[in-house]
Amino acid sequence: QVQLVESGGGSVQAGGSLRLSCKASGTIFTINSMAWYRQAPGKERELVASVRNTYDTDYADAVKGRFTISRDNANDAVHLQMNSLKSGDTAVYFCNARGYARSLYQDPFDSWGQGTQVTVSS
C-alpha cells in the first residue's frame, strides 16, 4: 500500500505564490507518474499538472505559465510551484501517484493523498 502526504496549502492573496509538496511512502518499486488534481466546491475534480518518470509534464490550460510541477525521484516526491494565483485557483488540491509495488508490473497502485486546501482571496 502506498500512502501520500501533502503539505504546503494555505491562504494567499491574488497574485501571490504557494508551493505544494507530496511525498509517497510504502512499498514502491516504481512510480510511473505523479500528478496534482484539484476540486473546487460544487465542481468535478480536475487535473492540474502531471509528471511522468521520463520527466515529461502536462498542464491544464488554466495554469500554464503560472504553475510548475517538479519531481524528486530520489525521495518519491512531487512539488507544485504556484505563482500568480487567482481566486479561481481556490480548491482542495490532491496528490496522485501511479506505479507498481513490485517488479515485473506486479501490484499496481493508484494512490491519492488526503487533500490540502488552497484559498486565494481577491
Side-chain angles (χ1 to χ4, degrees), residues 80-102:
L80 185 68
Q81 178 66 42
M82 305 186 293
N83 298 329
S84 302
L85 283 160
K86 306 174 181 179
S87 57
D89 296 318
T90 296
V92 178
Y93 284 70
F94 296 90
C95 178
N96 172 261
R98 297 171 181 165
Y100 295 91
R102 295 194 292 158

Side-chain angles (χ1 to χ4, degrees), residues 1-7 20-36 51 70-79 94-101 109-114:
Q1 190 171 358
V2 175
Q3 297 82 38
L4 301 178
V5 177
E6 300 130 335
S7 61
L20 305 182
S21 295
C22 170
K23 181 170 173 55
S25 63
T27 303
I28 299 170
F29 175 73
T30 187
I31 299 177
N32 290 342
S33 68
M34 300 189 82
W36 289 95
V51 57
S70 60
R71 183 164 167 172
D72 179 358
N73 283 338
N75 293 299
D76 290 330
V78 66
H79 308 284
F94 296 90
C95 178
N96 172 261
R98 297 171 181 165
Y100 295 91
F109 62 84
D110 183 353
S111 298
W112 293 86
Q114 78 285 356

